[in-house]
Amino acid sequence: NNNNNNENENENENDSDSDSKDNNSNNNSNSNSTTLPLPPPPPLSLPPSSSSSTIPLSTYQGRHTTSESLTSSNGCSVIAFILTIYHIKSEHGVTDQAAVNVIDNLSPSILDSIRKICGIDKYGFVAGIEVWGCLQGILPGSNGQDDQFFEVGGNILDKEATGRLGEAMAATPGKSACAFYFCDHLFCITCTPTDGSLKFQVLDSLPATGSNPGAFGTRTTCNSSEALQTHLQQHAMNKFEYYSEYLSTVKETEWSPNNHKDCRNFQAFIC
């Protein structure tokens, strides 16, 4: 599990983990004219999907500090796993109000406890697998046993890999959810059976890559597994185009399952 790469704290108002580079990274996707073109499929951009829609939440991680001087800054892994468990345990899934409450009120103290258990400093990143193990005894209604989740991963630009994610979530009886790790950041994906079909929702405690300072986290609703695939690939392409070091990797190297540091890798913890 390579999601123990450290995320950097952004001490500005819009705190983030890997996305803290947004305010000082050059958007320079054309900086190297000699690089090879991105091999198809997919193209570097995708047409907008009519089967998905994105709305802002009214907060983002790190926006507020509690009376105990605790914050959810750099706490995407904890937020994602709490939202995953909340979706499974609650009758109606994660409402906007519930998501905001997790980000602003519930996660800071849990994040602080997990960091102390793991010996991580106040603003350090906690790997997903460590979060899951520590949640037992901390989060009410969760026993955090390892056998309660399984993993799906691969190349986020590979439709077969992201398709396996949708299939695995759809095959889980009733509601399912996962904490999704990609490029040193985690967000939550939920799956709910609705009128004979499936509705996927992506709950991200960070603004979209390239957003203006002060932008909020997002909820994206995808009305099919195919719409989820398109959203995840577009999310990845936006990030690759924004960070020149990622774009160079995508253009110049082939993805290999043996290269655990490849920026195209994703890992989903499904329960």
Side-chain angles (χ1 to χ4, degrees):
N1 184 349
N2 290 281
N3 53 2
N4 58 358
N5 297 323
N6 288 333
E7 300 180 23
N8 295 320
E9 177 203 5
N10 182 348
E11 294 181 351
N12 295 324
E13 180 182 76
N14 187 4
D15 285 279
S16 65
D17 23 57
S18 68
D19 286 0
S20 64
K21 297 182 290 184
D22 284 0
N23 292 329
N24 52 32
S25 174
N26 291 325
N27 186 1
N28 190 16
S29 61
N30 297 317
S31 61
N32 190 347
S33 60
T34 63
T35 56
L36 299 175
L38 181 70
L44 198 54
S45 62
L46 294 171
S49 173
S50 60
S51 298
S52 63
S53 59
T54 299
I55 61 172
L57 300 171
S58 60
T59 194
Y60 53 83
Q61 62 161 286
R63 184 183 183 210
H64 293 295
T65 301
T66 68
S67 58
E68 294 81 17
S69 298
L70 302 177
T71 176
S72 61
S73 178
N74 210 10
C76 64
S77 56
V78 170
I79 293 169
F81 272 100
I82 294 176
L83 291 173
T84 296
I85 294 171
Y86 193 104
H87 176 75
I88 299 299
K89 299 291 184 180
S90 64
E91 181 179 356
H92 302 293
V94 184
T95 64
D96 288 349
Q97 182 179 1
V100 170
N101 184 55
V102 167
I103 295 170
D104 287 345
N105 302 318
L106 185 58
S107 66
S109 60
I110 294 177
L111 177 59
D112 182 63
S113 297
I114 291 177
R115 281 172 172 153
K116 290 176 179 177
I117 292 172
C118 297
I120 298 172
D121 64 40
K122 183 176 181 180
Y123 296 106
F125 175 67
V126 187
I129 195 69
E130 293 176 319
V131 171
W132 186 257
C134 290
L135 281 177
Q136 54 183 331
I138 296 178
L139 186 65
S142 169
N143 50 26
Q145 297 300 312
D146 288 345
D147 60 1
Q148 285 190 304
F149 75 86
F150 60 97
E151 299 178 39
V152 172
N155 178 1
I156 198 169
L157 298 183
D158 180 1
K159 282 193 171 183
E160 289 188 6
T162 54
R164 287 193 297 271
L165 170 63
E167 291 170 1
M169 296 185 72
T172 303
K175 295 183 297 182
S176 63
C178 76
F180 188 94
Y181 172 81
F182 170 68
C183 279
D184 295 338
H185 177 57
L186 287 92
F187 51 80
C188 172
I189 302 177
T190 67
C191 177
T192 307
T194 305
D195 298 328
S197 62
L198 294 173
K199 180 173 71 175
F200 296 88
Q201 295 200 324
V202 181
L203 296 160
D204 196 335
S205 60
L206 289 180
T209 300
S211 298
N212 294 326
F216 293 142
T218 58
R219 176 196 292 269
T220 299
T221 300
C222 301
N223 294 320
S224 67
S225 178
E226 292 76 15
L228 175 65
Q229 286 179 275
T230 299
H231 171 73
L232 291 176
Q233 290 188 338
Q234 188 63 70
H235 171 80
M237 291 171 188
N238 290 343
K239 192 172 289 288
F240 296 155
E241 289 183 321
Y242 195 83
Y243 298 117
S244 58
E245 65 269 31
Y246 290 160
L247 188 62
S248 297
T249 298
V250 172
K251 285 188 172 184
E252 297 174 5
T253 65
E254 292 187 5
W255 180 83
S256 168
N258 298 320
N259 182 3
H260 301 301
K261 295 184 178 180
D262 193 301
C263 62
R264 289 162 287 195
N265 291 335
F266 77 88
Q267 190 174 21
F269 302 88
I270 305 173
C271 63

